[in-house]
Amino acid sequence: MKNRKKYEKTNLIAEIEKLGYKVSVKSLLGTFASVVAGCIAAGYLFKLKPMGYVIVCIVAVMCTFSIIYQSYKAKYEQRRFSDVSIYLERMIYYFSSGITILDSLELIIKVFPSGEMHDVLAKAISIIRTANVSNADKAALDEIEKTYPVKRVKTLHKFMLQLQKNGGNAELGKNILLADRRNWVDRTMELQAGKRNFKRDIVIAIAIVTAMCLFAIYVPQYVKQFNVDISLNPLVQATSVVLLCADILIYTHINKFMSKNWLDEKPEKTDEECKKIYDNYYSNNSKRDVIIAAICSAVTVVAGVLLYIRIHSVFIFAVMAVLVIFFIKSPALGKKEVRKQIQRMIEINYPEWLLQVSLYLATENVPVAMTKSYEEAPAIIKPALFKMLKELDADPASSEPYNNFLKEFNVDGVEESMTALYSLATSEGGDITDEFSNLIRRNSELNNKAEKLKNEDKLYMMGLNIWLPSGICCAKILCDFAVLFSTYFLSSLSLI
């Protein structure tokens, strides 16, 4: 029974059906047959021995299971993203028209006649209709969040519950949420396009390096000076098998990037890590750093003098001077790098906090909105936000807390948005509607920029994999050339 469960769990067709797709045994067998045929062709070109064919075919077949599954998973993740995107847009429009959460759910379920989203919406509607508790609406929305744990879905639901309970400016929330959704969809599609381009580049790189390795095997046979066939050498055979297996594994590894969860919002750093970086920046360790730099410099000078006495080389003094300058500058350089790191984290996380504040403004004034946003604020912003709230408690009418918020990091957009919030707090600056519009526009721009920065970070990490085929190719060609020259010299010596 235990083995049967294990088989069912690892059955490829069953796993694909869990994603909502159908696949026939015939089509799968055709795919595997094509893969084996491709491996045999590649093995023939590299003149592999039977064992080499077997190894490459086994690796390819094992990886094909993953490649097929990941291709369907990529379609599944795209469908989930599309469902969430449609849900956000329609729910924003339906609820902001003035109807209840239940009415909104009953309207939006018609947009999804079947599928995962339909099922979870039906369950949410059932909870509201049958529950005997006061917070039935929240329980229903929590059910949707369990299936789609997306930050923007949670933000929308929180806004809906807040507005239904306290009333407020639904139009303001509608404009903010729609702008945020539009930026999110555009940047996500941009990220996926970047992933597709990266996959194409990897496939081209694999094809080029494989052709180069073939070139290194065949050329010696047709060059009169060499006239050597190295393809049957055990080392060349082994490296050829490793190359082909590595090509298959690299493609499988890259293919997994394409099927990653489109809705994944795992932060690059945890709240604890962000707090540690922020605390280290402000910790008073300058005296300790100077002492450490002085000790390192002194040790370097003593070691340099001792080496010079033994070696008598001016080069020793040049190296010593470079190291001493580095040690003297290292405390300031370290502080500068940490500051840059904090700036980037603020650029990515600040728009998220500003969005929360903007939504609270639909029902609250500015100080209360910022106070309520504190618990859910990004960790990198919390210390500065705590300081600002403390200053506002002491002097609510002062503009200094707004002007000084994150000022030391000079992040683009912060000053302008805080000026808008101060104007809203004091009801100054002319028509308050203009201030709201300015805040929405600025929030949209900052969110757009933050999403682009996140995409850049993700694509950069993926881009590092482009060097894998090149590295393996270089190792293979070096081995082949070593075999070529050793074979050539040995044959030359035998003729003497």
Side-chain angles (χ1 to χ4, degrees):
M1 185 70 179
K2 188 175 181 181
N3 291 333
R4 184 183 173 186
K5 285 184 178 179
K6 185 178 179 181
Y7 170 76
E8 289 174 351
K9 186 177 180 181
T10 56
N11 184 277
L12 179 60
I13 295 176
E15 291 298 317
I16 292 172
E17 286 177 350
K18 286 179 184 178
L19 300 177
Y21 297 96
K22 298 289 184 182
V23 61
S24 66
V25 175
K26 184 178 179 181
S27 66
L28 286 179
L29 290 175
T31 302
F32 283 108
S34 300
V35 169
V36 171
C39 291
I40 292 172
Y44 176 79
L45 290 173
F46 278 92
K47 300 183 179 181
L48 296 183
K49 291 180 180 179
M51 183 55 68
Y53 281 101
V54 172
I55 294 172
V56 173
C57 286
I58 289 174
V59 171
V61 168
M62 295 303 293
C63 288
T64 301
F65 280 96
S66 173
I67 291 170
I68 293 172
Y69 174 74
Q70 296 300 335
S71 66
Y72 282 98
K73 189 170 183 293
K75 294 178 182 178
Y76 169 73
E77 294 299 344
Q78 184 175 3
R79 187 183 69 202
R80 274 171 58 86
F81 170 77
S82 177
D83 287 349
V84 170
S85 172
I86 294 169
Y87 172 80
L88 286 172
E89 183 182 40
R90 299 320 311 164
M91 184 60 87
I92 291 167
Y93 277 116
Y94 290 150
F95 184 74
S96 61
S97 66
I99 61 178
T100 64
I101 291 174
L102 176 60
D103 292 336
S104 300
L105 291 171
E106 289 176 337
L107 281 174
I108 203 167
I109 197 173
K110 296 175 183 177
V111 180
F112 302 96
S114 61
E116 188 177 25
M117 180 63 83
H118 172 89
D119 295 342
V120 73
L121 289 173
K123 193 171 182 180
I125 291 170
S126 175
I127 289 172
I128 296 177
R129 285 176 174 169
T130 58
N132 296 320
V133 292
S134 57
N135 59 346
D137 288 337
K138 186 178 186 307
L141 297 179
D142 285 346
E143 192 63 38
I144 298 173
E145 291 171 16
K146 287 178 187 176
T147 307
Y148 299 95
V150 183
K151 196 176 295 182
R152 284 170 174 83
V153 172
K154 294 177 182 178
T155 298
L156 170 61
H157 290 170
K158 183 182 290 186
F159 173 72
M160 291 165 65
L161 292 168
Q162 172 188 319
L163 203 66
Q164 183 162 285
K165 181 180 178 181
N166 303 325
N169 189 342
E171 193 65 22
L172 170 65
K174 169 187 166 184
N175 293 335
I176 293 171
L177 290 168
L178 285 175
D180 179 62
R181 175 209 163 266
R182 182 172 59 253
N183 287 333
W184 175 61
V185 170
D186 290 345
R187 297 293 75 78
T188 302
M189 297 308 296
E190 191 178 271
L191 174 63
Q192 297 307 317
K195 285 184 177 182
R196 287 192 295 272
N197 291 338
F198 169 71
K199 182 181 177 181
R200 177 203 62 203
D201 293 343
I202 281 286
V203 171
I204 292 172
I206 289 173
I208 291 172
V209 300
T210 305
M212 288 173 64
C213 291
L214 278 172
F215 183 81
I217 290 176
Y218 280 94
V219 166
Q221 299 178 40
Y222 301 101
V223 176
K224 290 182 180 180
Q225 288 82 351
F226 292 111
N227 193 25
V228 175
D229 183 5
I230 63 170
S231 62
L232 298 180
N233 181 280
L235 180 60
V236 175
Q237 285 280 309
T239 54
S240 295
V241 171
V242 170
L243 172 72
L244 293 175
C245 292
D247 287 347
I248 296 166
L249 292 170
I250 290 170
Y251 180 80
T252 306
H253 171 65
I254 297 305
N255 204 56
K256 288 182 179 180
F257 279 110
M258 305 304 296
S259 62
K260 278 193 172 181
N261 187 354
W262 287 33
L263 304 175
D264 181 30
E265 295 175 327
K266 186 178 179 181
E268 184 180 343
K269 295 187 184 298
T270 63
D271 286 355
E272 291 75 18
E273 290 172 331
C274 291
K275 186 178 185 300
K276 186 177 180 181
I277 292 169
Y278 192 92
D279 291 343
N280 286 342
Y281 179 77
Y282 280 103
S283 61
N284 189 22
N285 293 327
S286 57
K287 190 174 180 179
R288 183 198 66 185
D289 294 339
V290 170
I291 292 171
I292 292 172
I295 293 171
C296 291
S297 300
V299 170
T300 302
V301 170
V302 172
V305 171
L306 292 174
L307 280 171
Y308 180 77
I309 292 171
R310 292 180 63 86
I311 300 173
H312 299 290
S313 173
V314 181
F315 178 72
I316 297 296
F317 283 107
V319 173
M320 182 182 69
V322 171
L323 288 174
V324 169
I325 292 170
F326 170 76
F327 288 132
I328 292 171
K329 293 284 187 181
S330 59
L333 290 173
K335 191 98 170 176
K336 189 177 180 180
E337 285 304 310
V338 173
R339 186 174 184 274
K340 284 182 180 179
Q341 189 179 10
I342 294 174
Q343 279 179 320
R344 188 169 182 85
M345 287 192 289
I346 292 172
E347 285 180 331
I348 291 173
N349 291 287
Y350 176 77
E352 177 190 331
W353 173 75
L354 185 60
L355 174 69
Q356 295 294 339
V357 173
S358 301
L359 291 174
Y360 277 122
L361 288 175
T363 56
E364 310 289 352
N365 59 38
V366 174
V368 174
M370 288 194 292
T371 302
K372 285 190 172 183
S373 73
Y374 178 78
E375 289 301 324
E376 59 207 22
I380 199 67
I381 292 173
K382 271 189 174 181
L385 180 58
F386 179 81
K387 180 183 176 184
M388 181 175 70
L389 292 174
K390 195 173 180 181
E391 290 173 354
L392 284 174
D393 283 341
D395 188 1
S398 174
S399 63
E400 289 303 308
Y402 295 91
N403 294 335
N404 294 331
F405 184 64
L406 298 174
K407 186 177 181 179
E408 61 269 38
F409 297 105
N410 195 29
V411 176
D412 182 45
V414 172
E415 184 178 356
E416 186 179 345
S417 57
M418 294 309 294
T419 300
L421 286 173
Y422 177 69
S423 297
L424 288 171
T426 57
S427 299
E428 294 176 358
D431 187 359
I432 197 171
T433 306
D434 292 338
E435 295 296 343
F436 272 122
S437 299
N438 180 52
L439 188 63
I440 293 170
R441 176 188 60 79
R442 194 59 190 153
N443 185 71
S444 178
E445 291 173 357
L446 292 174
N447 265 311
N448 194 35
K449 184 179 178 181
E451 291 295 331
K452 283 186 176 182
L453 290 173
K454 291 177 187 177
N455 287 354
E456 286 175 8
D457 292 342
K458 291 175 183 177
L459 291 174
Y460 173 77
M461 295 306 297
M462 286 181 63
L464 295 177
N465 291 278
I466 198 73
W467 299 105
L468 288 175
S470 304
I472 294 167
C473 172
C474 289
K476 162 70 173 165
I477 289 176
L478 285 173
C479 289
D480 290 353
F481 280 171
V483 171
L484 171 63
F485 287 117
S486 62
T487 304
Y488 174 73
F489 285 123
L490 287 173
S491 61
S492 299
L493 288 172
S494 65
L495 295 174
I496 298 174

